[in-house]
Amino acid sequence: MYDDSEISSKLKDLTTLYEITKELASSQDLSDSLQKIMHILASMKSMENGTVTIINPKTGKLEIEVAHGLSEEKRLRGKYTIGEGITGRVVATGQPIIVPQISKEPLFLNKTGARADAIDQQRSFLCVPIKHGEQVIGALSIDRFYEGGLTQQANTDLQFLTVLSGLIAESAVRIQIVNQEKETLYSENLKLKRELSEKNRINDIVGNSSKMEDVYEMIHRVVDSNATVLLRGESGTGKTLVAKALHYNGKRKDKPFVVVNCSALPETLLESELFGHEKGAFTGATERKIGRFEQAEGGTLFLDEIGEISNAVQVKLLHVVQERNFQRLGSTKLINCDVRLVAATNRDLEKAVSENKFREDLYYRLNVFPVYLPPLRERRTDILLLAEFFLEKFSKENNKLIKRISTSAIDLLVQYHWPGNVRELQNCMERAVLICDEDTIKSIHLPPSLQIANPRSKGSPLSLSSAVENFEKELIIEGLKKNNGNQTKTAQYLSTSLRIINYKIHQYNIDPKKYRI
C-alpha cells in the first residue's frame, strides 16, 4: 500500500505527464514544444536546467535542441561528440546516469557554463537516453537538489524521465515526419512552379516582373486556340515578339507566319497586299498576285498597326474575320481561308471608335482576346535583365569582351523613363557596346538622353560639375571593386593618396564594405 506522500507524488507525476502529453499532442514545432515541456518540469517538478540534446544527422554530433534557462550563446556551446562527458556516454551506451553531486564528478564538463556557482554545483544531475525503438536519438537531462543527498526519490525521478523521454521520442519522430512531408511538398511545389515558370517563358521575350508573368499567362491561355488576339501597348513594348510567340508556341507553328505592317502601305496597295489581285485588276497588275491571307493559310497572319487602316479596308477585313473567306481584287471567286489572326496597335481604339475613325463592329471582332504589353517604365525590375541580355547579344555580334555594366550606368538605366520602351533600350545598349573599348559599360558610354537629371520635366542636362562628380564616383567604385574594397590599394590603383580617397568616399557616401568579396 502507498502512504499519502507516495500517492501525492504519483498524482503529481500523472498531472505533469498529462500537461506534457497535451503539449506534445498539440504542437507541430519540436523546439517550441520541448521548451514548454522544460518549463513544466521546472515549475511542477522542481527539475531545473532541463535540457534535450539531439544527434545532428549531418554532423553526427550531439547538439542542444532546447535548454531551459540558458541563453542562446550558452546553448550553442553545448556540442558533444558521442561518448564525451555524461551526456555523450548516455547516448553511447543507451543507459541512464545519475550524478549525485555535480561538483564531484570529473566527467561533468559544464560546456555551457550554466552551473558555475557553488549552489548549482551541489545539485544532482539526471540524464536518460531518448530512444526511438532501439535507436538512441538523443538525451534528456535535468538538475535536481535533494536534501540530505540521493534518496529513493532520485530513482522515482529517473523512472519518470525515462517515461517522458519515450514520449519525446515519439513526438520528435512524428513532428520530423510531418516536417519532412511539408518540406517534400514545398520542394515539389517549388519544382512545379519552376517548371511552369520555365514553360511560361517565351523564347526571345525577356522579363520576370509580375506584369510580364501576367503576359506569359495570357499567351499560354490562348496560344492553342483559334481566337483572334489583339495586342495593345505602346510602340517598342514587344508586340511583334508576342505575336511570334503565339504562333511558334502553338499548334500552327509548322505553318506560315506572315507579317503585314498596315501603316507602311497606302490604302490601294494594302488591299492588294492582304487579299491579292487578278491580272488586269488595275493599272499595273500585269500578273496574278497571291495575297497575305493566302500565304498564311493554316498559319498566322499578324496585322501590325491595325489602327492605321482605312475605312474601305476595314470593311473587307471585317468580312474576312466574320465569314472566313475573301475575294482577290478583280475576281468574283470566294476563297476560303483558315488563318489565325493576330492584330496589334498602339492607338486608343476605343477613342477611334467614338470618333468614327474605326469601325465598331470590326473593333469587337478583333478584341476577342486582348493582351496588354506594359511599357518598360512599369516593369523596372526587368530593365537590368534586358540590358544584360542585349549586352551579351551585341558583344557577341561585334566580337567584344564586355563583361558587365558599371554601377553608375545601371543607376542611369533604371532611373530613365524609356519613352521608346524595350526598343529604345536595345538601341541604347547596341550603341554602348559599339563605343565601349573596355570590359565594362560605363555611364559615359550611354546616350546623352540618359544623362538628364529628370527626363519627365523640362530640366536641363547635367552640369559639368555634376558630370565630373558622377565620373569620379564611378572611378572610385570601380577601383574598390577591383581591389576587394581595400582603400589603400584603390588609392594606388587610381594614382592618388589614401587621404584623398578617404575624403571622396565620405563625400560621395560610398561604403567600401559592399565591394569586398
Side-chain angles (χ1 to χ4, degrees), residues 118 222 269 370 405 449:
V222 76
L269 288 180
I405 305 171
S449 58

Side-chain angles (χ1 to χ4, degrees), residues 78-345:
K79 294 183 180 180
Y80 310 81
T81 56
I82 294 175
E84 181 186 14
I86 300 295
T87 304
R89 180 172 289 187
V90 167
V91 173
T93 62
Q95 298 297 318
I97 292 179
I98 298 179
V99 176
Q101 193 170 324
I102 291 171
S103 61
K104 295 181 180 180
E105 175 53 64
L107 285 176
F108 191 84
L109 302 178
N110 192 27
K111 280 195 174 185
T112 63
R115 302 170 181 86
D117 58 48
I119 296 176
D120 287 333
Q121 292 285 309
Q122 301 306 309
R123 295 184 179 189
S124 299
F125 179 77
L126 286 70
C127 186
V128 298
I130 298 174
K131 295 181 178 180
H132 182 251
E134 297 299 318
Q135 183 184 6
V136 180
I137 62 173
L140 166 65
S141 65
I142 58 100
D143 294 356
R144 182 78 187 268
F145 184 76
Y146 297 104
E147 290 187 19
L150 287 182
T151 61
Q152 179 60 34
Q153 182 62 41
N155 290 325
T156 304
D157 287 343
L158 201 64
Q159 292 173 1
F160 174 85
L161 292 174
T162 302
V163 173
L164 176 56
S165 70
L167 294 174
I168 290 174
E170 291 297 326
S171 293
V173 171
R174 174 181 61 81
I175 291 173
Q176 284 174 355
I177 290 172
V178 170
N179 288 341
Q180 284 174 0
E181 289 175 350
K182 284 182 179 178
E183 194 172 318
T184 301
L185 286 172
Y186 179 72
S187 299
E188 289 177 353
N189 189 32
L190 280 181
K191 182 181 177 183
L192 181 60
K193 281 184 176 179
R194 278 197 302 271
E195 288 174 353
L196 288 172
S197 181
E198 288 168 5
K199 179 185 176 183
N200 284 346
R201 287 291 180 272
I202 306 296
N203 292 338
D204 298 325
I205 301 181
V206 178
N208 55 18
S209 62
S210 59
K211 292 206 172 186
M212 287 308 296
E213 290 290 347
D214 292 341
V215 172
Y216 299 144
E217 173 67 20
M218 296 291 277
I219 291 172
H220 282 281
R221 283 184 180 276
V222 76
V223 70
D224 282 322
S225 79
N226 292 319
T228 300
V229 177
L230 180 62
L231 304 177
R232 310 289 298 268
E234 296 177 10
S235 179
T237 50
K239 295 187 289 293
T240 301
L241 287 178
V242 173
K244 289 180 179 179
L246 286 167
H247 175 75
Y248 290 108
N249 289 275
K251 59 187 180 182
R252 295 176 180 261
K253 61 185 178 182
D254 296 324
K255 299 294 183 178
F257 175 73
V258 178
V259 180
V260 179
N261 189 326
C262 300
S263 64
L265 297 168
E267 177 184 343
T268 52
L269 288 180
L270 178 60
E271 190 174 351
S272 171
E273 193 71 25
L274 289 174
F275 308 113
H277 62 255
E278 297 289 347
K279 182 179 179 180
F282 52 84
T283 303
T286 57
E287 58 183 19
R288 173 189 286 180
K289 178 180 178 178
I290 302 299
R292 297 298 181 93
F293 271 98
E294 285 183 82
Q295 293 175 24
E297 179 63 25
T300 303
L301 178 62
F302 175 45
L303 300 179
D304 199 8
E305 304 296 349
I306 191 72
E308 306 301 322
I309 62 176
S310 67
N311 192 269
V313 177
Q314 288 181 38
V315 172
K316 293 198 172 184
L317 185 59
L318 175 64
H319 174 84
V320 179
V321 176
Q322 285 180 329
E323 307 298 334
R324 296 293 171 179
N325 59 47
F326 63 93
Q327 295 173 327
R328 294 195 197 107
L329 292 179
S331 172
T332 57
K333 180 183 177 182
L334 287 174
I335 300 172
N336 293 322
C337 67
D338 174 22
V339 172
R340 169 61 170 305
L341 199 62
V342 178
T345 183

